[in-house]
Amino acid sequence: MRHPRIIIASVSLAAVAALGGGITAAAATTSHNTSQPAASQHAAATVRTVQATVGGKTETILVNSQGLPLYYYLNDTAAKSAVTGGLAALWPPLTSASPAATGLTAKLTAVMDIHGDQVAYNGHLLYTFADDQAGQVTGQGVQGFLVATPGLTAITGSAAPAAPAAPAGNPYGY
């Protein structure tokens, strides 16, 4: 009698992280809520600042613990994410029940929303971009997302933040 062969494929965590926005080994092996994207299942998230080139200018931006740039979405409110479905697959939310900040003076909090405990900076919910790598900012101005910076003005309540003015001669806002 012939036995069927079992083929086991392995995928490196680095490849998964590149596609999913930074999955840690713990998140890849332990899943508590399969309805949320794997990248959002972090137990703790650290937000820090780095220098990066954004639209041809060197700026100080916020990044996650893997060095991925963090963004906020113009259509979000301080209490609710408007990022769902396919948009959330491209822009994974940064989640943590107990976010930590390194080198930041403004408020970092966890807001309970459709993504779980989503990390917010000065009231702006934070996301990574699937096409970014550490030290690379490619999502600025794409689909209404803007890079989060330490000077991001605080929002409160449920009103969406006003869109910043686009620089002269650049209709895309970056």
Side-chain angles (χ1 to χ4, degrees), residues 10-38:
S10 74
V11 177
S12 74
L13 286 178
V16 173
L19 293 173
I23 297 175
T24 63
T29 59
T30 306
S31 176
H32 300 297
N33 183 349
T34 57
S35 66
Q36 292 184 12

Side-chain angles (χ1 to χ4, degrees), residues 1-5:
M1 179 164 134
R2 187 173 170 111
H3 295 283
R5 290 185 180 197

Side-chain angles (χ1 to χ4, degrees), residues 76-81 109 111 113 120 122-125 155-161:
D76 280 352
T77 68
K80 184 178 178 187
S81 173
T109 59
V111 176
D113 68 3
N122 270 349
H124 297 273
L125 300 171
I155 61 170
T156 57
S158 60

